[in-house]
Every structure is written in C-alpha cells, then in structure tokens.
Amino acid sequence: MSRTTATVAASLPDHWEQLVTTALLGTDRRTPPGVAPGPQTPSDLLDAAAAATVRRRAGLCPARPAERLRPAPEDPRPPLPPAAARRLAALLADRPGASGGGRRGAAPDLMELLPQWLQAANARGYAAPPQALPALLDAARARTDLRPAALRFAGPRALWLARLNPDWRFALRTAPGGGPSAPDLRDPQGIRRLWQEGLFAERVTLLTALRSRDAAAARALLEETWATERAEDRLMFLDSLRAGLAPGDETFLERALADRSRNVRETAAELLSALPASALAARMAARAAACVAVDRTRDVPTIVVEAPHECDAAMERDGVVAKAPAGRGERSWWLGQLVEAAPLGTWPGRFGGRTPEEIVALPVADGWQGELHAAWCRAAVRQRDAAWSRALLGEPSAPEAGGPGAVSLAERARLLAALDAGERAAWVAGFIETHGLSEAFQLLGVCAVPWAPPLGRAVVDALNIARDAGSYPWSFSGVMGLAERCLDPSEASRLDALLAIPDEPEDAAPGAGSYWSEAFQRLVTTLRLRGAMLAELTPGEAAP
C-alpha cells in the first residue's frame, strides 16, 4: 500500500457514497472528504476507494450457508459419437449472436441445419453432451420452433439447469414433466392436485400429456371443473381434445354447444363435425343435403343449389355463424358453413353413387360452383379425406393446376396434407414440371423430408431451367433455401455440373450467372454436410 493510501485509510471513515458521488462528478468539481485539493486528488480518490473497498469486504458478516445443490440427474441415454459432438458444437456456434454466425457467400447456413440434426439425434436416442446444454438452451430460447426437439435432446439435466437461470425458465413450461410440481401420470392424486391447484400453463401441459396417454381420463378431468373455468381457459382446454378425438368425446362436446362463449361453441361444433358419426354431423348433413341436389332433367346432370333463407337458432347452436363478413352474401355464407360441416360421405349417396371425382366434375348451375367446391375443400381438409382431396386437387398438369375448388395455393397445400407422402410428392413434382417453381413454394413446404427422388429431380430441373433462361435469380431464393434443407443428400453429385458460372443471355438480370453459381455451390456444400451429419450419428459410418 502506498504512503498516500495508508494515510487515507488511517484518517478516513468509510464514506463510500461520498466517494462514489465524487467519482461521478469529477475531482475538479468536488474534493474527496479528507483529501487536500491539488494535482494528486484523482490518485488520492482512487486510493481512498481501494481502501474503502477492502474495509467494506472485510466488514461483511458471514451469511448462513445456502442449501447445497442436489446433483444434476443422470441421463441414461448413450453419449454422442465424438464426431457428432463436434458437429453439434459447430452448429450451435453458428446461432444468431454467436461468434462466426451469419451466412456468407456459398457457406451453408448451419443454424438451419440444427433442426434436422436434433431430429436425427433424437431418433437415435443419444444424450446431449453436458458442456453443450447452455448453448442448446440459448438456441431454444431464441427459436420457439426448436424447443420441442432441443429440450427432448437436452434431457433431464437441462431442466435442472433451467431452474438455476431465469432466462431458461421457458424450459420448465415447455418440456414434458418440466414443471416443478408435474406429477407422474400414473399418480391419480398428484394429477388431481395439480389440476385443481396448478397454474394455467401447468394445467394445459398436464391435460395435453394425459390426453395422449388416456383420452377418456383427460376428458373426465376437464368435465369436473368445466363449469367453473374462465371462457378463455375453456377454449384452450377444449382445443386440447383435438388430439385423440373420438366418439367418446361427443356427449361432452354436445354440452359445450350450449356454452355462453361463442368461441367455445364454435370450437365444439368444429370438433363434432370432424366426427362423421356424431349427431351434429348428421344434422349438418341433413341441412346441406336439403340445399344441394342433382337436376337430372337437363341434358347433362347438373348440381343445383338452393342456399338457406335464414339462420335459425338450431343452426347457430350447431356452430353456424349468422353474421356474414363484410362483402359476403348471407345465404352463401350460411351454405358454405353447412357444406363444410357435413360429412363428405353424405354426397355419393345424394348424387346417385358417384365417386368424388365424378361429383366434382359435374357442372353447377347459377354460379354456385366456386362456393360449393370451396366448402368441399374445407371439409376435405377438416376431415382429412384423401379421396375428396385428390378429386378437388385434380391433375397437377391441368391449366388451373387443380380443381375449381382449389381456390388458392394455400388451400391446395392443405389438401395435399391429406395424401400420403409419396402421392403428395408425385403431385407437386407434376405441378412443377408443368408450371415451374414460381408458385410451388407453399406446396413444397408440405412435402416429407427428404424429398422423394421424383420431386427432388423436378426441383433441380426447374432451377436449372430458370438459370439457363437468365431468370431474375433472387426470386428463387426461398426455393433454394428449402432445397438445402429438403433435398436428399444423395442428389449432391448430380448438381456438380451446375456449379460453373453459365453464359448469361442478353436479357438476363445483371450478375445472375454469378448468383446462380454461388447458390448452387451453397446447395451442394449443404447437401454434403447433411450427409456427413447423418453418417456421424450412425456408429460405424462416421465421415472422416
């Protein structure tokens, strides 16, 4: 300690607040207490602060020791292969805000590969390396779409960590069993206690978990407290019944049709209409059949429509919304709701045993075709009916790229979701071959990953055609991003021929050739990286 420090420490009481104020104002405006003004004043202030700091620390009374933390639980799953652990560290280091992140030139976007890596690691049952848990939790905090897979991979130790850091508390709400009071689903008393005393988020999580294990028990739990729940809570609880919806839910849902909340009534009606054998479905079928028929007296059998003239109380109770949106006719609005809620099995018998394809092909009189087919589209999506979805989609090579009821690409994407993965991929491949990629982005998003070979070839061929035509390259960036994540890694070798900068046509966008070359380089690099990732996660096949 210097002479000045010793003098100050001996002569000054611990005026910490005054020292802080002097430091903030500056020694030219205020002199520290007990220090003479002059050129040494700044140094004397620092010496006084150092002495006061030692005094303050030495003067602390020992506190009662905190309870020792319990050790983190063991994770019984097998550890990652070393190469896969290194790959995970690289993927997490590329997240936004981490050093080295960001996309540059032909470099792959590593953060976009993390979801696939997590899915593959979870499928193989690996445990997360302990040192990766903080970065995994940070990544899951930043991206809600990562949370289910990231928390499943992170395992029980991540929940132990999350209780120690407020920034990671989301994991306790998101992960199954993450809540501190979450009971064993085999413990009826614990389940009942949490249902009656838990926070809303804990109760939703409990109901969802119990529904997946024992649908009837979850419904019975909800029925016990239904009358005392708030309207917004009843809506969320009712929505949890979508998973495992079965005929046994009908009695409860019928009672919910009389709920005082309109949103609850509408949700109950929607769920009942998804049960083709329900009483509500039968009532809607009778109403819809009274409005739609076939006129066989014409030269060509034609569908004729007589929309409802009123929306009575019984219709409203069954979920029909009486007030039409602005710019929409009331009668067409009511008709659409009736047809959407009626079981699709109603129509073959109503139309003389015709198949869905034959029904959709019938002409519709008086301009009702668009309304009728659009309602059938919504019904096919709600009921997940593959035959009707196929009929309404039509042939992918058709001029309109679908049946007249497929009024938008978003609706076609929803219809495609009712088909199996192979048929879905084949339909989208046919669409791309006929119509190109400009309208295919939404359709590609519903196809299974990795894309089936015919779909992958169709996408690559369409990108090659667009490149050779000198098309504006940035308009295909979304499809390129999807291709990086969804093309089968085995396609990489087929793309090597596209890496060179092509000759640009005279009317091409400036710099288009260089962009296409860079984009294809990134695509090939990403596909090979995905292939290496999968190999590293498979013992005996790790890439060198």
Side-chain angles (χ1 to χ4, degrees):
M1 183 180 290
S2 68
R3 180 191 60 78
T4 304
T5 304
T7 302
V8 171
S11 62
L12 284 182
D14 188 6
H15 298 300
W16 179 257
E17 296 299 332
Q18 295 182 45
L19 294 173
V20 171
T21 302
T22 301
L24 292 172
L25 294 175
T27 54
D28 55 337
R29 297 179 60 187
R30 173 177 290 191
T31 301
V35 176
Q40 285 294 109
T41 301
S43 296
D44 290 344
L45 171 64
L46 294 176
D47 289 341
T53 298
V54 173
R55 183 180 293 125
R56 286 162 61 84
R57 290 178 177 175
L60 287 176
C61 294
R64 184 180 296 276
E67 183 181 348
R68 179 176 295 181
L69 281 175
R70 294 180 179 180
E74 293 294 328
D75 193 333
R77 297 173 296 178
L80 280 173
R86 291 192 295 271
R87 181 73 65 191
L88 173 63
L91 295 176
L92 290 170
D94 199 61
R95 69 185 189 275
S99 60
R103 188 171 201 169
R104 297 181 297 275
D109 187 348
L110 298 185
M111 193 59 184
E112 289 305 313
L113 296 180
L114 183 57
Q116 287 191 20
W117 189 97
L118 290 170
Q119 181 183 18
N122 284 331
R124 290 161 174 78
Y126 287 121
Q131 67 272 19
L133 293 178
L136 268 173
L137 287 166
D138 283 341
R141 181 190 178 206
R143 283 181 55 175
T144 56
D145 62 306
L146 281 178
R147 288 182 184 179
L151 294 178
R152 179 184 169 193
F153 176 64
R157 289 177 172 176
L159 300 181
W160 181 88
L161 271 181
R163 294 187 177 97
L164 305 177
N165 185 345
D167 288 343
W168 297 334
R169 291 295 174 88
F170 71 89
L172 303 179
R173 300 186 300 270
T174 306
S181 57
D184 188 328
L185 292 181
R186 295 166 296 185
D187 176 13
Q189 292 183 345
I191 288 174
R192 188 173 302 279
R193 183 168 54 252
L194 180 57
W195 179 250
Q196 293 174 349
E197 302 173 3
L199 300 174
F200 173 69
E202 293 175 323
R203 299 177 74 209
V204 170
T205 301
L206 171 65
L207 190 65
T208 302
L210 186 58
R211 182 73 176 175
S212 65
R213 182 184 181 94
D214 187 341
R219 185 184 64 250
L221 197 67
L222 181 56
E223 287 183 286
E224 287 182 8
T225 59
W226 180 257
T228 61
E229 304 288 357
R230 299 182 306 164
E232 56 268 33
D233 294 351
R234 292 198 304 275
L235 182 62
M236 290 293 293
F237 291 144
L238 195 62
D239 202 59
S240 70
L241 299 186
R242 294 182 189 277
L245 186 66
D249 299 319
E250 181 180 358
T251 302
F252 172 67
L253 293 173
E254 276 284 345
R255 289 201 300 271
L257 290 176
D259 196 271
R260 53 189 180 274
S261 166
R262 189 189 72 179
N263 289 334
V264 171
R265 294 195 303 270
E266 290 176 0
T267 301
E270 180 188 345
L271 293 173
L272 282 168
S273 68
L275 295 172
S278 69
L280 179 137
R283 294 192 296 269
M284 288 299 200
R287 293 175 182 129
C291 297
V292 182
V294 174
D295 184 353
R296 296 179 175 83
T297 64
R298 306 190 185 205
D299 294 338
V300 176
T302 301
I303 297 176
V304 292
V305 174
E306 180 65 30
H309 290 274
E310 64 173 344
C311 181
D312 58 31
M315 289 169 61
E316 288 195 64
R317 181 184 181 277
D318 283 347
V320 177
V321 179
K323 186 175 177 57
R328 183 79 179 274
E330 283 186 333
R331 297 182 66 198
S332 65
W333 171 244
W334 299 331
L335 173 75
Q337 293 179 78
L338 296 180
V339 174
E340 177 182 354
L344 289 164
T346 302
W347 304 110
R350 182 68 173 160
F351 294 142
R354 288 180 170 86
T355 64
E357 287 82 0
E358 292 169 336
I359 293 171
V360 169
L362 290 174
V364 183
D366 302 324
W368 283 103
Q369 178 169 295
E371 185 67 49
L372 182 61
H373 284 212
W376 277 336
C377 280
R378 296 192 298 273
V381 170
R382 179 184 294 189
Q383 299 171 37
R384 299 193 64 81
D385 190 298
W388 276 88
S389 295
R390 196 176 296 117
L392 291 160
L393 279 166
E395 293 297 325
S397 58
E400 296 297 325
V407 294
S408 68
L409 287 170
E411 192 154 29
R412 291 185 191 120
R414 289 191 290 270
L415 288 169
L416 281 167
L419 306 181
D420 64 59
E423 187 176 2
R424 200 182 315 160
W427 196 96
V428 177
F431 178 94
I432 292 171
E433 289 169 0
T434 302
H435 304 281
L437 286 170
S438 59
E439 296 185 338
F441 184 79
Q442 286 180 289
L443 305 180
L444 287 168
V446 301
C447 293
V449 177
W451 287 336
L455 178 57
R457 288 192 294 270
V459 171
V460 171
D461 290 345
L463 287 171
N464 191 20
I465 291 170
R467 181 194 72 151
D468 291 344
S471 298
Y472 195 63
W474 296 273
S475 61
F476 295 93
S477 59
V479 175
M480 272 290 191
L482 272 180
E484 291 172 20
R485 299 189 295 274
C486 302
L487 266 177
D488 193 304
S490 63
E491 294 285 331
S493 58
R494 209 166 64 85
L495 295 168
D496 286 336
L498 304 178
L499 300 182
I501 299 177
D503 296 330
E504 296 183 5
E506 293 182 1
D507 57 348
S514 297
Y515 171 88
W516 282 110
S517 175
E518 181 181 279
F520 278 118
Q521 288 177 26
R522 183 169 58 242
L523 175 58
V524 170
T525 303
T526 303
L527 292 179
R528 290 190 169 131
L529 179 57
R530 283 175 52 211
M533 281 169 31
L534 295 176
E536 291 162 356
L537 286 164
T538 305
E541 297 182 17

